[in-house]
Amino acid sequence: MDTPSPPYQAVLDEVAPRLRRLRDKRGLTLAALSEATGISKSTLSRLESGQRRPTLELLLPLADVYQVPLDDLVGAPAVGDPRVRLTPRALTNGGTAVPLTRGPGPLQAYKMIINDRGTEPELRTHEGYEWLYVLGGRLRLVLAEHDLELGAGEAAEFDTRLPHWFSSADGRPVEILSLFGRQGERMHVRAKPSAKPRA
């Protein structure tokens, strides 16, 4: 393998501490990063200590998981507009979701606009735990046998393994903030929820 010329070696030498700082800032363990990237813990450890030379094969999955440009990992000079532009995504069952988090961690945040999805709930289940807060409008939340209506300023939290569905309650779009834990972690909950949610 060719040895990089001295000007590029200085850039490569800065990759290891930059990767360490980025992982620390995101609060990720090597095990969590390994699981998210498919790169072994030992390789990640050697990469962060400077014992392993950074390659595109290693840096591309890391840039993807950290949701940063490859330039950020290798220390390219900043250019252009520093604002982050998050891309809205259309929801398959009506509405829009704007991701507010860029990292892989256990907690993901979204601002969502939910349209009227009709009156017949299509209950779904999946792994995770969700906390939502109504920013504006009225939200109809069907959670197992409970049919609830939430207004601006109200919040709900639930295990997404329970059958659930939500829609606009009055036909107008409703805006919510959603915090979702993909592995079932609980967020912003200091006490256990009551065994029976109130209708």
Side-chain angles (χ1 to χ4, degrees), residues 2 6 27 31-32 36 60 73 90 100 114 150 156 163 166 194:
D2 294 335
L60 286 173
L73 297 184
L100 301 176
I114 308 295
L150 287 78
F166 40 84
S194 57

Side-chain angles (χ1 to χ4, degrees), residues 11-13 21 33 40 42 45 60 79 82 90 97 118 120 133 138 140 145 147 161 173 182 185:
V11 172
L12 290 175
D13 288 345
R21 285 193 301 270
L33 189 57
S40 73
S42 62
S45 176
L60 286 173
V79 294
E120 287 302 315
Y133 178 84
R138 299 204 63 76
R140 180 181 176 203
E145 71 275 11
D147 196 340
R161 290 173 295 186
R182 287 182 287 194
E185 284 84 359

Side-chain angles (χ1 to χ4, degrees), residues 54-72:
T55 63
L56 275 177
E57 182 182 36
L58 296 172
L59 294 179
L60 286 173
L62 287 166
D64 184 49
V65 166
Y66 287 134
Q67 292 292 294
V68 297
L70 187 59
D71 288 354
D72 286 7

